[in-house]
Amino acid sequence: MSPQQKVEADPYFPDNGDPRYRVNRYELTLDYRPGPNRLAGTARLGAIAGGAPLTEFQLNLADFRIGRIKVDGRAPHYTHRGGRLRIRPPKPIRAGAAFTVEVHWSGNPKPVNSPWGGIGFEELEDGALVASQPIGAPSWYPCNDRPADKASYQISVTTPSAYTVVAGGRLLTRTTKASTTTWVYEQSVPTSSYLVGLAIGRYQTVLLGDPGEGGVPQYGHLPARLLPQFSRDFARQPAMMELFQELFGPYPFGEYAVVVTEEELDVPVEAQGLSLFGSNHVDGARGSERLVAHELAHQWFGNSVSVADWRHIWLNEGFAKYAEWLWSERSGGLTAAQLAATAHRKLSALPQDLRLSDPGRKRMFDDRLYERGGLVLHALRCALGDEAFHRMLRGWAAVHRGATVTTGAFTKHAARYADRPLDDLFTAWVDDAALPPLPSQAAVVPMRPPYPPYPPGNAGAL
């Protein structure tokens, strides 16, 4: 890799992704057998070379058996070691030229190793689940695994007919032949590789509310035994969707689905158009409602507006954290100001050695990053005032819809809505490690709560 390419590689995961080209389309055809945990797949990628000819390029793929590979219909030379599939096409690909790659692979998928343990494709007691953030996508398909490389996807999965297959995007077809069913999903909106979600299980499918004409269809896929609790715990998700569209702008995808697995998960995980929850997040008492709001908010912040590299992860998590606080305020719970004060007290008692603008790989999922990220947004709300702050949020989601962003891009964006420089605010909250004082909240007026605290359950079986 040249020095220029090293600069462009993700600084936290330089072995993941290849900045010398970009993928604009993945077509994945998969056959999965839950009993033996056996996956066989074909991937067809449509890609474009960057500013220099490609004599070789890299995909990320875990330890599978490779059947064959083709580049523009011809067999290349390749090596496959350490999760990296290095491909040397028969002849160099011209700078800026479009090319296609076809990869056939098979094996027993399992999570890939990471600083946070195994992530990616996980075999469940009865089914499977994919939660890939940040580097788990190669655990089940070959990809240019960098968040800035966003592409459209078509995913076809064949599995025994007793199982439901859920992926982010629109279900195009479901075809049953003998004892297997093939599910085909289309995600036409640009998607980062880690945000391609997949769940396979014995699920009941329910509709959350009535989207009405022009509304966003919202589905739940869950074990039938959990339907009574789910109907209460997720009853206010349609109201969250309504609020977030008011605050952040139109929902960026065609539909939204949540999956609840039979097994427990440490935390819910977002994917594009899809969020994954464990059975421990469904208690019938709305005990995880803030997480329901958090994962939904990620569809705007993290999924539609995505980070250019992992240094900027606070732009995902801080925004989703503040969305939790906005939902609480609007639904009659604690106000954002009260929750900000609580977060500030919590952080003031913890070590102050984390910089949001570059937390480092080991700390990119530190709880302090989430809380302090939410406080950045609250500090901005205090500085801008409510009206300008909400215009700023809607503008951020609109201008960068489907694109990738950096912290620098956000500071420049926010400055356009201010009547005084914000440099000191961002330096103190984002660049410095020491926790600034809680800002004056005189300009913040709590939003009126229009949503009843305990609406009836509204999940209807399909």
Side-chain angles (χ1 to χ4, degrees), residues 159-455:
T159 199
S161 295
Y163 294 86
T164 297
V165 174
V166 185
R170 182 165 62 97
L171 178 62
L172 297 182
T173 61
R174 183 177 61 190
T175 307
T176 298
K177 293 182 180 179
S179 61
T180 65
T181 298
T182 299
W183 306 68
V184 181
Y185 284 86
E186 174 72 28
Q187 179 56 271
S188 59
V189 181
T191 305
S192 300
S193 53
Y194 83 93
L195 289 170
V196 182
L198 181 69
I200 300 171
R202 300 178 190 266
Y203 297 128
Q204 180 169 345
T205 298
V206 301
L207 178 66
L208 282 155
D210 180 2
E213 187 176 353
V216 180
Q218 299 175 64
Y219 299 99
H221 307 274
L222 62 147
R225 69 176 182 84
L226 293 177
L227 183 57
Q229 298 95 318
F230 178 89
S231 295
R232 180 173 175 81
D233 292 338
F234 285 79
R236 299 209 292 181
Q237 184 179 280
M240 292 176 190
M241 179 70 78
E242 178 184 328
L243 174 64
F244 291 169
Q245 289 195 98
E246 173 192 333
L247 296 179
F248 310 147
Y251 179 72
F253 311 115
E255 52 285 301
Y256 181 59
V258 295
V259 172
V260 179
T261 74
E262 271 287 6
E263 301 183 25
E264 296 188 357
L265 301 179
D266 290 339
V267 293
V269 181
E270 74 273 13
Q272 189 112 319
L274 171 69
S275 293
L276 309 168
F277 293 80
S279 59
N280 52 311
H281 300 122
V282 178
D283 60 8
R286 295 171 43 238
S288 296
E289 188 172 89
R290 71 170 186 86
L291 300 176
V292 177
H294 185 103
E295 301 310 323
L296 176 58
H298 269 314
Q299 303 304 320
W300 284 265
F301 306 116
N303 299 7
S304 175
V305 182
S306 304
V307 293
D309 66 61
W310 290 111
R311 288 174 299 182
H312 311 287
I313 189 173
W314 82 271
L315 293 171
N316 295 1
E317 302 303 345
F319 278 63
K321 172 60 70 174
Y322 200 63
E324 294 178 29
W325 299 355
L326 291 172
W327 167 250
S328 175
E329 179 175 297
R330 191 66 171 263
S331 62
L334 295 176
T335 66
Q338 291 170 319
L339 291 165
T342 298
H344 193 273
R345 285 195 298 272
K346 176 182 175 182
L347 290 176
S348 65
L350 296 173
Q352 296 178 31
D353 55 1
L354 182 143
R355 295 170 50 240
L356 284 187
S357 58
D358 191 0
R361 186 171 78 170
K362 291 182 179 179
R363 293 176 174 171
M364 55 185 281
F365 296 116
D366 194 304
D367 286 346
R368 293 173 296 166
L369 181 141
Y370 291 61
E371 301 288 344
R372 184 156 175 164
L375 283 170
V376 173
L377 273 296
H378 195 68
L380 273 174
R381 186 179 174 189
C382 294
L384 298 177
D386 281 343
E387 192 274 335
F389 173 75
H390 290 302
R391 281 196 296 114
M392 183 274 296
L393 278 186
R394 287 192 296 272
W396 178 247
V399 170
H400 299 286
R401 183 173 175 136
T404 57
V405 294
T406 63
T407 298
F410 179 65
T411 61
K412 290 177 182 176
H413 173 83
R416 299 187 183 104
Y417 297 82
D419 56 10
R420 59 181 178 82
L422 297 175
D423 304 60
D424 290 346
L425 184 153
F426 281 114
T427 297
W429 283 101
V430 178
D431 294 325
D432 291 346
L435 182 68
L438 189 68
S440 168
Q441 307 192 43
V444 173
V445 179
M447 295 183 290
R448 182 174 60 87
Y451 303 112
Y454 296 101

Side-chain angles (χ1 to χ4, degrees), residues 54-76:
L54 283 180
T55 57
E56 59 95 20
F57 60 92
Q58 171 185 300
L59 289 168
N60 292 105
L61 180 64
D63 186 21
F64 291 96
R65 184 179 66 83
I66 302 296
R68 69 175 185 268
I69 297 177
K70 291 184 178 180
V71 177
D72 288 335
R74 299 176 62 188

